[in-house]
């Protein structure tokens, strides 16, 4: 199968498939997640633009996906979602449509940019990969509850980021003031 075939068969859920696929592929490449994060952010941009299915360059659409790769993804998703399948189902589907579709795009942009950042903390990519997977599975299954969980995690990360930035800014200002007194 080609990547284009998979995307065409999944229609609007192709965004969820690609987001989850890119997030899973980024796991073994800790520290090299810039292209994966930017690709996920680009998916979010397409969602904000109102696309029904993801656009891929022709070269990527023609890329053959080996059955072993599809099986690897299936095993990873199965392992991560074992026990959750009874909770994952189409519900609150309106949270994956209309203006909420745009909001999911914003969430994917923020998480994708976060994944692309070179955070010097081991395994920090997982903080961004997990919400991307939640969004991806929510889009694949039209599960508005999962999408809401993705939004809650993204909102919490924004709040923590603002608090952390204020902490750094405040301590940096104190440190610079201390240095200026030394001179």
């Amino acid at each position: 199968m080609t990547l284009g075939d998979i995307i065409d068969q999944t229609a609007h859920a192709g965004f969820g498939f690609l987001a989850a696929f890119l997030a899973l592929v980024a796991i073994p490449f800790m520290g090299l997640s810039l292209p994966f994060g930017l690709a996920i952010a680009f998916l979010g941009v397409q969602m904000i633009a109102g696309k029904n299915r993801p656009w891929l360059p022709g070269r990527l659409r023609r890329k053959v996906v080996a059955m072993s790769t599809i099986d690897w993804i299936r095993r990873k998703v199965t392992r991560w979602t074992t026990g959750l399948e009874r909770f994952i189902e189409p519900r609150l589907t309106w949270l994956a449509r209309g203006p909420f579709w745009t909001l999911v795009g914003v969430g994917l942009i923020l998480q994708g940019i976060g994944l692309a950042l070179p955070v010097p903390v081991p395994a920090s990519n997982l903080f961004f990969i997990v919400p991307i997977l939640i969004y991806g599975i929510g889009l694949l299954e039209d599960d508005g509850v999962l999408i809401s969980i993705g939004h809650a995690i993204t909102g919490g990360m924004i709040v923590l980021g603002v608090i952390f930035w204020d902490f750094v800014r405040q301590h940096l200002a104190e440190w610079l003031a201390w240095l200026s007194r030394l001179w």
Side-chain angles (χ1 to χ4, degrees), residues 124-146:
S124 62
N125 289 355
L126 292 176
F127 291 115
F128 303 103
I129 288 173
V130 169
I132 292 167
L133 285 172
I134 290 171
Y135 278 131
I137 294 168
L139 288 171
L140 276 169
E141 297 294 328
D142 276 337
D143 192 338
V145 171
L146 278 181

Side-chain angles (χ1 to χ4, degrees), residues 4-76:
D5 293 335
I6 294 170
I7 297 304
D8 291 343
Q9 289 178 10
T10 57
H12 84 275
F15 285 101
F17 170 79
L18 277 178
F21 175 77
L22 290 168
L24 286 172
V25 172
I27 291 173
F29 298 108
M30 296 294 182
L32 300 174
S33 57
L34 175 69
F36 301 109
L38 292 179
I40 290 167
F42 182 63
L43 289 174
V45 169
Q46 291 180 55
M47 291 176 75
I48 289 173
K51 298 282 186 187
N52 287 347
R53 65 181 58 181
W55 174 86
L56 291 174
R59 193 173 113 213
L60 283 177
R61 285 190 61 79
R62 293 185 298 272
K63 177 82 173 152
V64 175
V65 180
M67 288 307 290
S68 60
T69 303
I70 293 171
D71 189 50
W72 177 82
I73 292 169
R74 182 193 53 78
R75 283 194 318 269
K76 288 285 188 190

Side-chain angles (χ1 to χ4, degrees), residues 4 26 34 44 72 85 91 103 114 120 140-141 152-153 160 179:
L34 175 69
W72 177 82
E85 62 267 356
R91 55 193 167 181
L103 190 58
L140 276 169
E141 297 294 328
I153 293 171
L160 288 175
L179 278 177

